[in-house]
């Protein structure tokens, strides 16, 4: 059993002025409950991380930070959900023994934090929050989301099925995470690479309390593609296999054409030619596009740009 630890609840925020007034009391109540039970120390905090919001999100965070158990940091511009979560993790680890990352929309069951902290006290360095089921999702979202996890597993990516970004990490795990310097972030795939003992806490997910989702289909597809190309080279190997298979088929077609020519069974026409050219051309364009994605990521990684830049801290104004 580990001694009482300092917990930071890291909450990324982007244009959340509609939902924060509803969820802030919930997070604060859960933190006080954990402290009253003696599971975490009185130095524990909620850390809101503003991702360049264009509404009153930062003003609300500043207001809430008058409470000694709430702090806030703000990025210099919008950098995306994954960079915002990472910023909170790296900033919080300087003061915390453990951190829990959770979205601010109220969909993830905050009552699971109790089980997460207890799992940490029992020896887990990482605790993953995993959805029991997806009954609140539409059929399309459920089908595509679960299909994504299966595809990632087939491509050799270590990933926890139905886990998003609701997790607990110890300072030991965070220090190891800091050694990963990728600019292209997919935390669901990076955290399992850290290793160490881990546990899983299952929970039911709820409807968003207020406001609109900031992860439409386009962003979800972008995150999925980033995850695949950042953590697996199997797509390139699949291109190689497809190229070999196409070459074999083309070679057989050449043999068939020569045989047909010598037995005098050829008929001039353009349909078959156009079909074959279009087929080969399509494969080439898709292959070049996938390879281009990898080259683009190499280009971004070689620049070593900062993954986040903190512009404001509520503590700076206290």
């Amino acid at each position: 059993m580990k001694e009482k630890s300092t917990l930071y609840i890291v909450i990324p925020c982007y244009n959340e002025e509609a939902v924060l007034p509803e969820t802030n009391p919930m997070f604060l109540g859960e933190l006080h409950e954990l402290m009253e039970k003696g599971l975490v120390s009185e130095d524990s905090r909620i850390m809101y991380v503003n991702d360049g919001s264009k509404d009153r999100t930062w003003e609300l965070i500043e207001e809430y930070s008058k409470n000694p158990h709430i702090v806030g940091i703000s990025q210099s511009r919008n950098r995306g959900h994954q960079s915002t979560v990472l910023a909170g993790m790296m900033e919080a680890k300087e003061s915390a023994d453990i951190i829990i990352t959770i979205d601010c929309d109220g969909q993830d069951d905050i009552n699971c934090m109790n089980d997460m902290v207890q799992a940490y006290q029992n020896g887990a360095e990482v605790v993953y929050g995993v959805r029991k089921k997806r009954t609140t999702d539409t059929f399309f979202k459920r089908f595509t989301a679960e299909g994504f996890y299966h595809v990632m597993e087939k491509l050799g990516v270590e990933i926890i099925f139905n886990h998003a970004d609701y997790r607990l990490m110890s300072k030991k795990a965070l220090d190891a995470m800091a050694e990963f310097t990728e600019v292209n972030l997919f935390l669901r795939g990076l955290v399992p690479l850290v290793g160490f003992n881990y546990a899983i806490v299952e929970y039911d997910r709820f409807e968003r309390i207020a406001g609109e989702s900031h992860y439409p289909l386009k962003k979800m597809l972008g995150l999925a593609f980033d995850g695949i190309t950042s953590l697996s080279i199997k797509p390139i190997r699949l291109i190689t296999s497809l190229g070999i298979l196409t070459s074999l088929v083309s070679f057989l077609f050449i043999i068939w054409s020569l045989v047909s020519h010598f037995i005098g069974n050829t008929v001039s026409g353009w349909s078959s030619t156009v079909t074959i050219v279009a087929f080969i051309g399509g494969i080439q364009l898709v292959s070049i596009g996938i390879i281009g994605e990898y080259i683009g990521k190499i280009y971004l990684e070689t620049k070593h740009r900062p993954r986040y830049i903190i512009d404001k801290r509520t503590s700076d104004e206290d």
Side-chain angles (χ1 to χ4, degrees):
M1 180 72 70
K2 298 183 179 180
E3 294 182 0
K4 192 182 297 185
S5 303
T6 299
L7 165 68
Y8 269 54
I9 303 173
V10 175
I11 307 173
C13 304
Y14 176 67
N15 291 346
E16 299 290 2
E17 69 173 346
V19 75
L20 275 176
E22 303 291 333
T23 56
N24 179 65
M26 295 168 52
F27 291 126
L28 196 57
E30 179 65 18
L31 181 63
H32 282 304
E33 183 177 330
L34 291 171
M35 291 189 293
E36 289 169 1
K37 289 181 177 179
L39 292 174
V40 299
S41 75
E42 294 294 325
D43 294 327
S44 298
R45 299 285 185 271
I46 295 170
M47 175 182 279
Y48 288 112
V49 188
N50 179 41
D51 186 23
S53 298
K54 298 177 181 177
D55 60 5
R56 294 186 61 254
T57 296
W58 178 244
E59 285 81 357
L60 289 174
I61 293 172
E62 288 181 309
E63 180 182 335
Y64 299 152
S65 296
K66 295 175 183 177
N67 185 305
H69 289 292
I70 297 178
V71 296
I73 58 176
S74 182
Q75 296 211 81
S76 59
R77 61 182 295 272
N78 176 256
R79 294 180 182 272
H81 180 268
Q82 297 293 279
S83 291
T84 305
V85 174
L86 181 74
M89 291 164 59
M90 293 299 103
E91 293 293 311
K93 81 180 182 69
E94 301 303 323
S95 305
D97 298 309
I98 52 176
I99 63 102
I100 292 177
T101 57
I102 185 172
D103 289 339
C104 71
D105 54 18
Q107 289 188 282
D108 296 317
D109 187 359
I110 62 173
N111 296 315
C112 288
M113 293 184 187
N114 183 89
D115 296 332
M116 288 181 167
V117 174
Q118 290 184 342
Y120 162 73
Q121 292 177 337
N122 290 332
E125 301 291 344
V126 181
V127 184
Y128 298 100
V130 175
R131 295 180 63 172
K132 290 181 182 178
K133 50 193 175 182
R134 289 182 169 269
T135 53
T136 58
D137 290 345
T138 62
F139 171 77
F140 177 76
K141 185 174 182 180
R142 182 168 62 252
F143 176 79
T144 53
E146 293 184 348
F148 163 70
Y149 286 104
H150 289 306
V151 169
M152 293 290 280
E153 289 175 351
K154 293 292 184 183
L155 292 176
V157 177
E158 292 186 46
I159 193 167
I160 305 297
F161 189 76
N162 270 343
H163 163 69
D165 288 298
Y166 187 18
R167 68 179 74 86
L168 176 148
M169 294 183 73
S170 68
K171 186 174 180 62
K172 179 180 178 181
L174 289 169
D175 286 338
M177 184 72 187
E179 299 296 320
F180 291 77
T181 59
E182 285 98 323
V183 174
N184 301 283
L185 294 170
F186 183 69
L187 296 175
R188 301 177 204 182
L190 282 178
V191 174
L193 295 179
V194 171
F196 303 126
N197 293 330
Y198 73 89
I200 289 175
V201 172
E202 293 187 332
Y203 68 95
D204 291 316
R205 203 160 194 252
F206 311 120
E207 295 285 351
R208 184 181 175 90
I209 289 180
E212 297 180 356
S213 172
H214 301 302
Y215 251 87
L217 179 61
K218 182 179 178 180
K219 280 192 174 182
M220 287 193 296
L221 290 175
L223 179 64
F225 204 72
D226 280 344
I228 292 171
T229 54
S230 296
L231 295 164
S232 174
I233 62 169
K234 279 195 175 182
I236 291 182
R237 290 179 178 172
L238 289 173
I239 288 173
T240 302
S241 301
L242 182 60
I244 293 171
L245 178 62
T246 304
S247 297
L248 290 174
V249 172
S250 300
F251 181 70
L252 293 175
F253 183 76
I254 291 171
I255 294 175
W256 173 78
S257 299
L258 290 174
V259 171
S260 298
H261 173 74
F262 285 115
I263 66 176
N265 194 29
T266 57
V267 177
S268 59
W270 59 271
S271 298
S272 58
T273 303
V274 170
T275 302
I276 293 169
V277 170
F279 175 70
I280 301 298
I283 291 177
Q284 289 176 331
L285 289 174
V286 171
S287 301
I288 291 171
I290 293 175
I291 294 172
E293 284 289 330
Y294 281 94
I295 293 173
K297 282 181 168 52
I298 294 170
Y299 172 72
L300 291 174
E301 294 291 344
T302 57
K303 288 180 174 292
H304 300 294
R305 289 174 175 166
R307 294 178 292 179
Y308 64 89
I309 298 174
I310 303 302
D311 178 33
K312 302 175 184 176
R313 303 173 190 270
T314 53
S315 58
D316 294 340
E317 301 168 8
D318 293 342

